[in-house]
Amino acid sequence: IGPVIFFLIFIPAVLLAGFGGGLAGWYLPQSGNFHRPAIMVLRTILSVELLLALLAPLLRASQGVTPNLSRFLLLPIPVRDLYACEVLTAFVNPWMAFLTAGSQMLPVGMALAGELGGACMTLVAAAGILALLSGLETLVSSSASLLFRDRRRAEIATFVLMASLAAVSFLPGLLTTFGPVKRRLPDTKKIEQEAERAAPEKTKQPETPGWSGKPLPLWALAYPPELYARCVALSADHRSSAALLPLAPLLLWATGIHWIGARFYRRILETPEVSSPRRRGRGAVVSWPRLPGLSDAASAVAVTQVRLVFRSVQGKIQFCVLPMVILVMGLLWLRQPKELPQGGPSVPVGLLLAVAGIFFAMMTLEGTLLNQFAMDRAGLTLEFLSPISDRDMILGKAAAGAVLVASRSFPAMLVAALLAPGGSIFLWLSLPFAALALFALMAPLGAILSVLLPRPVDPGKITKQNQPHFVASILGMVGNLFAMGPIAGLAAGAVFLLDSPALALVFIVLWTGVALMISLSLLRLAERLLSRRRENLALVAQGR
């Protein structure tokens, strides 16, 4: 697949970027109405490139892809040459290759258009921005390799990074809930339309030399993409001497970043990668809380499973992101009618959000419930060698799943209740029983699928390989929908047909009892399957 992607996608994309840069360089020195839109596109592309240079090394490091720099010390190569190779490696990234082709062809287009002085200035500016971005990416990569050497520090950094990205992704949805912004938009459009009608001849006239005469703002001196765009604009506007004003800070930025990056790279090479682990005191005693209703062995299995999930970065992120999802959904619903449907029995929005929180909590635990044995990795072998019966193993995993579902669904329901309170108290009281009934059917199904379709995973990394088996994911999704069916049907029948929320609570409590009896029989089946596939599960858990 690699050669196909390289020759059919990468090379044509680089050629297309170079053609676009050359075409822009040809048209920018000429008169027309395309100068400011072209510069705006250039600013946008460079801002995206700057963001990628900052985030890409951090995301690679969070996935466990950090270079082993200590092996370079064994080679008879100077550090400055190693740093130069590291900088050149940044140009292998697709976004840097596209920018390199476009920025290098831009002065070629200017030269063909007859603007030789501007072409020279643009060429130097292109070298400056490329050197800055490559040096910045190398600096961030070196910093990430040092930051992610320590496991505990790496988990904290990954959690902060992923949680921040998740929070930022919710901002567009939150911003749409502010009504004053929407009310001002029509007035702005009317003003712009009136201005265009008042001066139609002015908008149709092509821009003459001097279109880049806007003074450079002070904040642009600290923003390299704006410095490069300004240099290109002045060069294309036949003002090559004025282009020195933004070009000088850009070159200073590039020089400073490489000066810091080279010394930081040398420091990374001189720093040992392996640090001594933390040691417990001699008198330290390991305490294991016991869950009520379980034996010591089953409680130990449950506590171990819960700690394993919460210590992983993915488990922390899912725990924190779910309430944020419910919060964003609730804020978006605030602009809608508070109760649906109209003209009939009322269903509060908060109750719908709470139900969605329970469903999402089950979905986020898909990787844990549907692959609960193989995710223990080498620890599964220790569990099999310990005096733990198959029944205790199954019950412990099920209890751990119940704790994890409760820990995720309860904050989501709390956010929904605080954001959109109201509705019958009987419907709110039925939610915990609905969650229990749903998990009672999914717990044995997850155990059976985990026994029959295990897959080696690494909970400490955030990769696609940590997903459960494809067939298990499909069957788990179908099972989740079927398990929700009776609950939704009983609640809808009691509310919409009988118009009695109290009966909805009674029906769901009765169905919870039935689901628990079904769950006990299915857990016995999972216990028999586990006893037959112990050896296979131990091999898969170790990646064999």
Side-chain angles (χ1 to χ4, degrees):
I1 298 177
V4 173
I5 295 176
F6 182 78
F7 287 103
L8 296 183
I9 299 178
F10 183 75
I11 292 182
V14 171
L15 295 177
L16 183 61
F19 176 77
L23 193 63
W26 168 268
Y27 278 107
L28 278 176
Q30 303 178 19
S31 61
N33 294 320
F34 46 79
H35 301 97
R36 287 185 175 85
I39 297 300
M40 183 60 66
V41 171
L42 184 61
R43 289 192 181 102
T44 304
I45 294 175
L46 290 176
S47 299
V48 174
E49 295 279 349
L50 182 63
L51 183 63
L52 290 175
L54 292 173
L55 290 181
L58 294 176
L59 292 176
R60 284 196 298 264
S62 65
Q63 308 251 337
V65 185
T66 54
N68 185 13
L69 300 177
S70 61
R71 71 182 188 275
F72 292 153
L73 296 176
L74 304 176
L75 303 175
I77 302 176
V79 177
R80 62 177 180 274
D81 295 339
L82 292 175
Y83 177 74
C85 294
E86 192 73 18
V87 171
L88 292 176
T89 306
F91 291 93
V92 181
N93 296 323
W95 53 88
M96 283 295 294
F98 301 154
L99 180 63
T100 302
S103 61
Q104 294 300 316
M105 290 301 297
L106 186 64
V108 174
M110 283 189 180
L112 294 177
E115 185 62 33
L116 297 180
C120 294
M121 297 297 296
T122 305
L123 182 62
V124 177
I129 192 66
L130 292 175
L132 184 143
L133 291 176
S134 59
L136 183 62
E137 185 169 348
T138 305
L139 176 60
V140 176
S141 179
S142 301
S143 305
S145 64
L146 178 62
L147 179 64
F148 285 84
R149 282 178 180 178
D150 183 76
R151 180 178 177 182
R152 184 182 299 273
R153 196 167 56 208
E155 290 179 353
I156 296 175
T158 304
F159 170 72
V160 172
L161 177 63
M162 295 301 176
S164 301
L165 292 177
V168 171
S169 65
F170 292 137
L171 287 180
L174 292 175
L175 292 177
T176 57
T177 61
F178 294 101
V181 176
K182 290 187 174 182
R183 287 194 293 266
R184 284 197 297 264
L185 287 178
D187 298 334
T188 305
K189 292 182 179 179
K190 289 181 180 179
I191 294 174
E192 292 178 355
Q193 292 176 359
E194 293 177 358
E196 291 178 358
R197 293 174 183 175
E201 295 82 4
K202 185 177 179 180
T203 58
K204 294 180 180 179
Q205 292 178 356
E207 292 175 331
T208 58
W211 56 270
S212 62
K214 185 178 179 180
L216 189 67
L218 294 178
W219 62 267
L221 296 176
Y223 192 54
E226 181 62 27
L227 293 174
Y228 174 76
R230 186 63 175 167
C231 183
V232 171
L234 292 172
S235 301
D237 199 21
H238 314 290
R239 302 173 62 191
S240 302
S241 58
L244 291 173
L245 178 62
L247 180 60
L250 179 61
L251 296 179
L252 288 176
W253 265 112
T255 304
I257 286 179
H258 280 285
W259 185 80
I260 298 174
R263 280 153 180 76
F264 206 82
Y265 187 79
R266 180 184 292 273
R267 180 62 179 172
I268 294 296
L269 291 178
E270 295 173 353
T271 304
E273 292 197 14
V274 181
S275 59
S276 59
R278 298 181 180 180
R279 298 181 179 180
R280 287 181 174 268
R282 293 183 178 179
V285 179
V286 180
S287 60
W288 291 88
R290 179 176 177 179
L291 299 181
L294 295 178
S295 62
D296 293 337
S299 180
V301 172
V303 172
T304 302
Q305 185 82 357
V306 173
R307 287 184 174 180
L308 176 62
V309 173
F310 273 104
R311 284 179 178 176
S312 65
V313 178
Q314 190 171 2
K316 293 186 180 72
I317 293 174
Q318 292 174 350
F319 174 77
C320 297
V321 168
L322 184 56
M324 295 172 58
V325 173
I326 301 301
L327 176 63
V328 173
M329 293 176 60
L331 291 176
L332 293 176
W333 271 105
L334 288 178
R335 299 187 60 83
Q336 303 297 326
K338 295 292 187 288
E339 296 179 350
L340 298 174
Q342 297 180 356
S346 61
V347 179
V349 174
L351 188 64
L352 296 178
L353 292 174
V355 173
I358 297 174
F359 185 78
F360 291 156
M362 294 296 301
M363 296 300 295
T364 56
L365 286 172
E366 181 185 68
T368 301
L369 295 178
L370 303 181
N371 200 25
Q372 53 191 264
F373 298 103
M375 70 177 298
D376 291 343
R377 305 184 72 188
L380 184 63
T381 303
L382 297 178
E383 290 176 337
F384 285 156
L385 296 176
S386 302
I388 303 176
S389 63
D390 296 333
R391 176 169 298 180
D392 289 335
M393 182 78 71
I394 293 294
L395 292 178
K397 296 288 185 179
V403 173
L404 293 173
V405 171
S407 64
R408 299 188 183 189
S409 59
F410 177 75
M413 289 189 293
L414 182 61
V415 171
L418 294 176
L419 191 63
S424 175
I425 186 63
F426 297 105
L427 294 180
W428 286 100
L429 292 177
S430 64
L431 290 178
F433 294 98
L436 179 60
L438 178 62
F439 178 77
L441 296 178
M442 288 301 300
L445 178 61
I448 293 172
L449 294 177
S450 300
V451 172
L452 297 178
L453 299 171
R455 183 180 179 181
V457 296
D458 186 2
K461 298 181 180 179
I462 304 177
T463 59
K464 294 182 179 180
Q465 287 72 21
N466 283 343
Q467 299 297 326
H469 196 278
F470 176 74
V471 178
S473 298
I474 297 298
L475 295 178
M477 186 179 300
V478 174
N480 205 353
L481 294 176
F482 273 100
M484 284 286 293
I487 301 173
L490 292 173
V495 173
F496 294 106
L497 296 180
L498 302 178
D499 196 13
S500 176
L503 284 180
L505 175 60
V506 174
F507 290 163
I508 292 178
V509 170
L510 294 177
W511 171 247
T512 302
V514 175
L516 289 174
M517 291 188 292
I518 297 175
S519 178
L520 291 177
S521 61
L522 293 178
L523 287 176
R524 295 191 184 96
L525 175 60
E527 178 185 346
R528 291 193 294 268
L529 292 175
L530 177 62
S531 62
R532 298 177 183 178
R533 292 181 58 84
R534 274 176 165 255
E535 183 178 357
N536 178 266
L537 285 174
L539 293 175
V540 173
Q542 296 180 2
R544 300 179 182 177

